Amino acid sequence: MNSQLYSKLTVRGKVQVKSSDIQVGDLIIVEKNQRIPSDMVFLRTSEKTGSCFIRTDQLDGETDWKLKVAVSCTQRLPALGDLFSINAYVYAQKPQLDIHSFEGTFTREDSDPAVHESLSIENTLWASTVVASGTVIGVVIYTGKETRSVMNTSNPKNKVGLLDLELNQLTKALFLALVALSIVMVTLQGFVGPWYRNLFRFLLLFSYIIPISLRVNLDMGKAAYGWMIMKDDNIPGTVVRTSTIPEELGRLVYLLTDKTGTLTQNEMIFKRLHLGTVSYGTDTMDEIQSHIINSYSQVHSQNSGSNVSSTPSRKPQSSAPKVRKSVSSRIHEAVKAIALCHNVTPVYESRAGVSGETEYAEVDQDFSDENRAYQASSPDESSFLQAEQTQVSQPFLIAKMLQAHYHLCGPPLDTFQEIPVLFVLGSPEMDTVLQVALVQWTESVGLTLVNRDLTSMQLKTPGGHILTYYILQIFPFTSESKRMGIIVRDESSGDITFYMKGADVAMSTIVQYNDWLEEECGNMAREGLRTLVVAKKSLTEEQYQDFESRYNQAKLSIHDRNLKVAAVVESLEREMELLCLTGVEDQLQADVRPTLEMLRNAGIKIWMLTGDKLETATCIAKSSHLVSRTQDIHIFRPVTTRGEAHLELNAFRRKHDCALVISGDSLEVCLKYYEHEFVELACQCPAVVCCRCSPTQKAHIVKLLQHHTGKRTCAIGDGGNDVSMIQAADCGIGIEGKEGKQASLAADFSITQFKHIGRLLMVHGRNSYKRSAALGQFVMHRGLIISTMQAVFSSVFYFASVPLYQGFLMVGYATIYTMFPVFSLVLDQDVKPEMALLYPELYKDLTKGRSLSFKTFLIWVLISIYQGGILMYGALLLFESEFVHVVAISFTALILTELLMVALTIRTWHWLMVVAEFLSLGCYVASLAFLNEYFGIGRVSFGAFLDVAFITTVTFLWKVSAITVVSCLPLYILKYLKRKFSPPSYSKLTS
């Protein structure tokens, strides 16, 4: 990347420079499809429009293109070389994190008077983005560590599973046991001679207590679990992106989920239009269509007679149709407002399909419905990316022509169509999907957006006439303002109108007094619809000119630019005429309800963290059954001070078994003053909904739960705004959704649908945890048993530090003789997958961590001591006469015991387990014949070889069998009795 070559513009022409040699102030030329090497201000482009598109998916995870506008002063220069003939400078703010805002000015001093141009996010090209159209020239303002992309890369924490931490604790205990045992041996020796040398010899002899092969076995096991998850046909498309924490899936207590795109499909369907006196639903949309056709046919018939304004005449012809006429004109105004107030551009696919790019040469001429698709421009907003971030106003917020994500090719829409669209990071209420849904709806009722560029847009009426509107200003949506506005001039009449749409909380104070808005918003929210209030205000030429001068002045200010711009815009937002209220449905993902029900039954507490507003979040919580129908919901009142928070927490404390709904602002206040009390109360709730959460808040909530409860958390989301939460959680799951792949790439596990999480946790999480716990304890048992035999052997020989088995046998013991059967435990399962899904209550047992604890560990230690003692003492008792063969006898009995113990541990047999058992036994029998020189005992029987004839005798066989039976039979009996009188919960279901 650093050695990539770029063209640098100098007085002597173009020169090639390496990316690493670029400095602030250089003029860099970037070609189409080339990566932008550093943060730049956009000076010129080869495109006639003076703008270009860039792809930002590597910066913010958004897959749609962004429109960038060149500084007009430099774009107007006749030739490229003229950049060196002007005297100008750029002022840029100090480097900061926020990729969605920029404040600066461009000043040209050699003109009279000096030209000052304000620079905003539209005029910047950030590093790591890619030019998608034309060739651009920019002046470098930040390089290296000061670029936005580098400042926003944080090092994600290294996640370690709870099981690994528990095994680490047990390994420490084993290390202490090793040291203690060695000291005891030296003490019993009586510290004779160089005792410290003997101490180290004992430490080496007993070093098998430390299970070095544990890590290897576990890591291979984790890789196997990951492979099994990805190969599961019931959850296709699942990707395991980490090989360290599959067991975490079986230990989760808290699941924190995003709403939009995770629980909901992020597919919008227009459901309701309310005009105050009359409301239209999906079944009455044809009435709206007929009103629109009538009003435009009247307008055009009047226009053909006399050249009047293109708004329908308001004069009632007679007293009878007065009400109908009034409703008709109101519908006409409302639909026109919805068709004009947005950031959507129609994209025309080239019919020939020769080039992969969108052709926009003949857009003006060909407005046919067959090849039109819509693309919504994502406002480069989203202070949702940083809680503390402020939003720069964007004067030219623009729609763009880009790859058509919204393929609506086909006849004109007269029905509601669910469109495969891409949600773009940004505000929850004004996301691209919602914008496109509204524009498609206006098309379905007869008013079609056919063309849009930087300065104008054209609508086609039902009669086929084209209406042109000039875009004078656009005020993009921000999460602070919760509204967007546009000022347009009608070409035919010259009328200037300010349209605005936004959330009811923001718009209720802006529109004229009415008695229905609040009530209807509540009604729609209860139905699960997302509401937008649409309003307008007519401006005179003088009013607009006055506004424009104040607005441009505010945009040039360097200090508090945002506040000044907002104040100027707010001066317009007074006493606006309320046109209508729209309701759009965001559909739930497939099988969300049964999945949430299953997770709740499994004892997992679900928290929904969303940037959406309180009403929408509450109604999705109800419709998805996150909150069951019988449960009360406690809506935490907005609090700003410590006293209010105290009172509200007391009120909440008196409620029992009710779900909590709280906004991000109130949450901040509660955490500031009463963190411990709030978390304690919230953790007792069956479900918690946090609305209006910024990404940093989401991550903060995850960390709070980890800190206060010590339980395992899982975060699931599908957008770039969920990445911080996913990375903070113990286990992060990303959904490949319409918001791109950023969440799925940052997550530990990537799934394609929310419903897959049920099988991922109940089946794979359960199996991974149970198998790893069994595998870990078995590997420890394997080391302990041989160390016990060594201790018994040394004790018998007057505490001599002599090895019982030679090195090769010790290596073979941990690998070829026992590895396959022990590792085959990764195929074991206690209940069938169908049973685990049918009885999610089984999952509750796992969260208690009973499969691997100090209790189970101690049981395995006792088993190891018992078996090691029996094997060694048995060998010494039965073989006093043939002492030379004690190694062969005890080692054979040891291998048989290990194989039988694996068989004892297995709950469900798999054919590979049987193969592993017999393969290991076969390898051992073969090595008895070929490696007989290794079966002598250290120095005691130096040169004594194993007699092959001896191991084939009946005496050898029955004595080995006797020792093995004594070491294993009692354990089999105990296991049978335990299952008979105290069966585990899963065995009750399977029997």
Side-chain angles (χ1 to χ4, degrees):
M1 200 180 271
N2 283 339
S3 55
Q4 203 173 341
L5 293 175
Y6 288 89
S7 298
K8 174 180 165 182
L9 201 61
T10 64
V11 184
R12 291 184 295 280
K14 295 180 188 176
V15 292
Q16 294 286 310
V17 291
K18 283 184 180 176
S19 174
S20 54
D21 297 332
I22 292 173
Q23 296 176 338
V24 173
D26 287 354
L27 294 177
I28 302 294
I29 300 170
V30 187
E31 303 289 340
K32 182 179 174 181
N33 289 330
Q34 211 177 2
R35 192 186 70 86
I36 294 168
S38 56
D39 289 356
M40 307 196 291
V41 167
F42 183 17
L43 299 181
R44 274 181 80 86
T45 174
S46 57
E47 302 282 295
K48 292 187 180 69
T49 54
S51 60
C52 80
F53 289 107
I54 62 167
R55 295 200 294 269
T56 62
D57 49 348
Q58 296 304 311
L59 185 65
D60 58 12
E62 299 184 19
T63 49
D64 64 340
W65 300 0
K66 303 288 186 302
L67 187 97
K68 297 292 177 180
V69 182
V71 175
S72 57
C73 180
T74 48
Q75 180 65 27
R76 283 198 302 267
L77 296 172
L80 194 58
D82 295 340
L83 282 171
F84 292 101
S85 64
I86 63 169
N87 179 16
Y89 67 87
V90 169
Y91 166 87
Q93 63 187 157
K94 69 173 195 270
Q96 59 174 23
L97 275 168
D98 180 10
I99 59 174
H100 294 289
S101 71
F102 174 73
E103 291 180 16
T105 54
F106 180 91
T107 308
R108 182 173 174 183
E109 294 180 313
D110 57 357
S111 61
D112 192 31
V115 177
H116 298 283
E117 205 171 317
S118 78
L119 301 178
S120 74
I121 188 73
E122 312 268 64
N123 313 108
T124 58
L125 303 167
W126 295 147
S128 297
T129 58
V130 177
V131 178
S133 66
T135 302
V136 303
I137 295 114
V139 58
V140 176
I141 49 172
Y142 309 119
T143 59
K145 290 182 178 174
E146 293 182 343
T147 58
R148 294 291 206 269
S149 61
V150 174
M151 290 177 81
N152 273 287
T153 40
S154 58
N155 297 324
K157 68 171 188 177
N158 205 2
K159 296 185 183 180
V160 182
L162 187 58
L163 185 99
D164 291 329
L165 296 174
E166 289 169 345
L167 284 170
N168 286 351
Q169 296 296 333
L170 300 182
T171 309
K172 289 172 190 169
L174 288 173
F175 175 73
L176 293 175
L178 163 68
V179 175
L181 185 60
S182 304
I183 292 170
V184 166
M185 281 296 188
V186 175
T187 310
L188 292 172
Q189 251 185 350
F191 292 103
V192 288
W195 61 269
Y196 48 87
R197 193 185 301 166
N198 288 339
L199 176 67
F200 277 102
R201 291 182 71 164
F202 278 124
L203 282 172
L204 286 174
L205 283 179
F206 298 142
S207 62
Y208 277 83
I209 289 180
I210 306 290
I212 295 168
S213 60
L214 178 63
R215 274 262 62 90
V216 180
N217 276 293
L218 276 180
D219 287 346
M220 283 167 59
K222 289 171 197 278
Y225 309 145
W227 184 83
M228 288 173 198
I229 292 171
M230 291 200 278
K231 290 292 173 195
D232 189 341
D233 295 333
N234 294 296
I235 45 172
T238 303
V239 182
V240 179
R241 300 193 190 278
T242 175
S243 60
T244 52
I245 55 169
E247 299 90 1
E248 289 295 273
L249 294 169
R251 308 288 296 276
L252 302 175
V253 179
Y254 289 97
L255 177 73
L256 300 103
T257 172
D258 177 38
K259 181 184 76 69
T260 311
T262 304
L263 296 178
T264 61
Q265 289 182 26
N266 206 13
E267 280 187 8
M268 305 292 177
I269 300 179
F270 194 99
K271 288 281 189 183
R272 189 71 53 82
L273 180 75
H274 205 294
L275 301 169
T277 52
V278 59
S279 170
Y280 294 94
T282 40
D283 47 350
T284 50
M285 290 298 171
D286 50 344
E287 288 183 32
I288 297 181
Q289 200 169 359
S290 59
H291 281 306
I292 294 291
I293 292 168
N294 290 341
S295 47
Y296 275 109
S297 59
Q298 283 176 4
V299 170
H300 290 298
S301 62
Q302 286 173 2
N303 279 358
S304 55
S306 60
N307 201 12
V308 293
S309 136
S310 66
T311 49
S313 167
R314 302 278 174 92
K315 294 170 191 167
Q317 275 79 28
S318 64
S319 57
K322 185 175 180 182
V323 176
R324 190 195 63 75
K325 184 67 188 168
S326 160
V327 167
S328 185
S329 76
R330 280 163 62 196
I331 289 174
H332 170 262
E333 277 299 326
V335 174
K336 187 167 76 172
I338 296 169
L340 289 171
C341 187
H342 53 70
N343 294 316
V344 178
T345 302
V347 179
Y348 292 86
E349 302 274 88
S350 57
R351 283 205 185 126
V354 179
S355 66
E357 299 159 42
T358 310
E359 292 182 3
Y360 27 90
E362 288 125 34
V363 162
D364 313 70
Q365 291 85 350
D366 179 16
F367 294 149
S368 62
D369 295 313
E370 286 76 34
N371 56 351
R372 183 191 311 112
Y374 290 118
Q375 177 67 45
S377 144
S378 152
D380 270 7
E381 86 239 349
S382 190
S383 51
F384 268 51
L385 274 182
Q386 295 270 323
E388 45 299 326
Q389 168 183 324
T390 53
Q391 173 53 37
V392 160
S393 156
Q394 297 158 310
F396 340 73
L397 189 88
I398 336 298
K400 41 203 187 171
M401 302 182 177
L402 7 79
Q403 321 137 295
H405 289 305
Y406 312 129
H407 289 286
L408 289 186
C409 308
L413 287 180
D414 49 11
T415 54
F416 299 107
Q417 199 163 345
E418 295 178 38
I419 24 163
V421 266
L422 196 86
F423 173 72
V424 184
L425 246 187
S427 72
E429 272 94 0
M430 203 67 76
D431 56 53
T432 52
V433 194
L434 183 51
Q435 299 242 34
V436 171
L438 292 171
V439 174
Q440 283 179 332
W441 175 77
T442 63
E443 181 182 4
S444 75
V445 294
L447 197 56
T448 308
L449 174 71
V450 287
N451 183 33
R452 177 172 182 154
D453 54 32
L454 295 182
T455 55
S456 67
M457 62 174 107
Q458 291 170 309
L459 303 179
K460 187 167 77 173
T461 65
H465 297 89
I466 301 292
L467 308 175
T468 302
Y469 292 88
Y470 297 113
I471 300 170
L472 303 179
Q473 300 285 355
I474 287 193
F475 315 108
F477 185 92
T478 72
S479 44
E480 283 84 27
S481 69
K482 301 184 181 66
R483 54 189 180 268
M484 77 153 284
I486 186 168
I487 301 179
V488 294
R489 187 198 297 271
D490 187 335
E491 183 192 42
S492 56
S493 64
D495 292 345
I496 299 174
T497 313
F498 173 34
Y499 289 107
M500 180 162 270
K501 68 179 179 188
D504 52 299
V505 282
M507 298 292 287
S508 56
T509 53
I510 293 169
V511 297
Q512 293 165 349
Y513 173 77
N514 62 82
D515 56 1
W516 60 272
L517 181 62
E518 192 178 341
E519 185 184 348
E520 285 306 323
C521 282
N523 291 343
M524 285 194 193
R526 277 189 285 279
E527 288 178 46
L529 302 181
R530 293 171 73 158
T531 54
L532 278 180
V533 179
V534 185
K536 75 162 197 174
K537 184 178 190 177
S538 299
L539 303 176
T540 62
E541 191 66 42
E542 295 75 31
Q543 281 176 316
Y544 177 70
Q545 293 302 335
D546 169 55
F547 165 79
E548 190 180 37
S549 64
R550 287 185 293 127
Y551 186 63
N552 290 340
Q553 193 63 41
K555 282 195 309 195
L556 282 172
S557 58
I558 291 299
H559 301 294
D560 299 329
R561 180 191 293 185
N562 294 352
L563 294 171
K564 289 176 183 171
V565 168
V568 174
V569 176
E570 276 171 23
S571 66
L572 272 190
E573 299 170 347
R574 289 185 190 141
E575 287 296 301
M576 296 187 72
E577 179 190 341
L578 173 58
L579 296 176
C580 66
L581 173 68
T582 62
V584 178
E585 183 183 41
D586 192 354
Q587 293 190 305
L588 287 177
Q589 289 266 12
D591 292 338
V592 160
R593 292 188 185 112
T595 305
L596 288 176
E597 186 74 25
M598 180 196 295
L599 295 173
R600 238 199 335 269
N601 290 341
I604 296 173
K605 292 188 175 174
I606 303 160
W607 289 36
M608 185 167 90
L609 312 180
T610 173
D612 225 329
K613 62 183 177 199
L614 191 133
E615 296 78 12
T616 318
T618 310
C619 86
I620 292 290
K622 284 180 184 168
S623 64
S624 65
H625 294 184
L626 175 69
V627 178
S628 62
R629 297 213 176 277
T630 53
Q631 269 168 1
D632 288 335
I633 294 182
H634 177 79
I635 294 177
F636 206 88
R637 284 212 307 275
V639 295
T640 48
T641 63
R642 182 172 188 154
E644 288 175 356
H646 182 74
L647 290 170
E648 194 57 28
L649 278 170
N650 282 344
F652 177 47
R653 191 176 274 116
R654 288 192 285 273
K655 300 276 183 80
H656 292 291
D657 191 44
C658 72
L660 171 68
V661 179
I662 186 169
S663 70
D665 304 337
S666 304
L667 183 71
E668 281 289 302
V669 177
C670 290
L671 295 179
K672 187 176 174 185
Y673 299 114
Y674 299 107
E675 182 179 293
H676 184 73
E677 292 86 341
F678 175 77
V679 176
E680 193 180 343
L681 283 172
C683 288
Q684 292 167 5
C685 294
V688 177
V689 177
C690 299
C691 48
R692 288 270 170 254
C693 274
S694 67
T696 39
Q697 265 184 324
K698 289 183 178 184
H700 184 50
I701 292 168
V702 172
K703 288 172 185 160
L704 269 180
L705 283 174
Q706 290 169 336
H707 175 67
H708 281 279
T709 64
K711 299 281 194 290
R712 305 318 268 177
T713 57
C714 173
I716 178 167
D718 71 320
N721 55 344
D722 302 315
V723 168
S724 49
M725 161 173 89
I726 285 170
Q727 289 183 336
D730 296 303
C731 176
I733 300 176
I735 296 181
E736 268 186 42
K738 304 216 169 65
E739 294 186 38
K741 288 192 172 185
Q742 205 178 2
S744 102
L745 290 172
D748 307 305
F749 302 91
S750 164
I751 56 179
T752 52
Q753 286 183 295
F754 183 80
K755 65 178 180 183
H756 292 169
I757 196 173
R759 188 174 178 89
L760 193 64
L761 302 190
M762 300 302 126
V763 178
H764 293 289
R766 175 185 190 83
N767 287 345
S768 302
Y769 171 56
K770 286 270 192 183
R771 289 163 176 173
S772 282
L775 184 65
Q777 293 180 125
F778 211 94
V779 173
M780 289 178 182
H781 158 75
R782 192 170 65 185
L784 276 167
I785 193 170
I786 204 161
S787 299
T788 307
M789 292 174 74
Q790 177 68 54
V792 172
F793 177 76
S794 293
S795 309
V796 170
F797 282 91
Y798 309 104
F799 309 105
S801 48
V802 175
L804 170 59
Y805 301 125
Q806 293 193 12
F808 192 89
L809 289 187
M810 296 299 278
V811 172
Y813 172 67
T815 53
I816 196 161
Y817 299 151
T818 60
M819 198 191 99
F820 299 117
V822 171
F823 187 69
S824 72
L825 288 170
V826 302
L827 300 169
D828 191 20
Q829 59 180 32
D830 54 355
V831 289
K832 287 192 169 65
E834 300 75 36
M835 200 64 77
L837 290 167
L838 188 60
Y839 297 103
E841 291 78 8
L842 289 172
Y843 189 88
K844 285 182 190 172
D845 284 352
L846 305 182
T847 54
K848 294 169 186 165
R850 288 176 177 165
S851 298
L852 177 72
S853 60
F854 268 103
K855 180 184 168 185
T856 57
F857 170 67
L858 286 171
I859 290 170
W860 276 104
V861 170
L862 292 173
I863 290 172
S864 306
I865 293 170
Y866 166 73
Q867 290 187 326
I870 290 290
L871 291 172
M872 202 62 232
Y873 275 121
L876 294 173
L877 281 173
L878 296 176
F879 293 98
E880 281 169 3
S881 53
E882 308 102 338
F883 193 75
V884 172
H885 304 310
V886 78
V887 170
I889 294 142
S890 62
F891 199 75
T892 308
L894 172 65
I895 297 296
L896 290 174
T897 299
E898 279 295 300
L899 298 181
L900 287 170
M901 284 301 292
V902 171
L904 175 72
T905 309
I906 288 170
R907 289 163 290 217
T908 310
W909 282 88
H910 187 284
W911 65 271
L912 279 172
M913 295 173 170
V914 182
V915 170
E917 291 265 345
F918 283 107
L919 182 67
S920 296
L921 192 59
C923 288
Y924 178 67
V925 171
S927 63
L928 272 179
F930 297 113
L931 304 172
N932 52 21
E933 68 268 27
Y934 288 103
F935 285 90
I937 304 177
R939 299 175 190 171
V940 181
S941 57
F942 192 75
F945 292 114
L946 180 65
D947 177 359
V948 179
F950 166 72
I951 59 170
T952 54
T953 60
V954 178
T955 321
F956 172 80
L957 293 174
W958 83 256
K959 290 184 175 178
V960 166
S961 305
I963 296 171
T964 310
V965 167
V966 174
S967 75
C968 291
L969 189 62
L971 297 174
Y972 270 86
I973 294 167
L974 283 171
K975 182 185 177 182
Y976 172 77
L977 292 173
K978 186 171 185 296
R979 279 194 75 117
K980 185 88 176 149
F981 297 111
S982 173
S985 48
Y986 64 83
S987 65
K988 296 171 190 169
L989 300 174
T990 50
S991 56

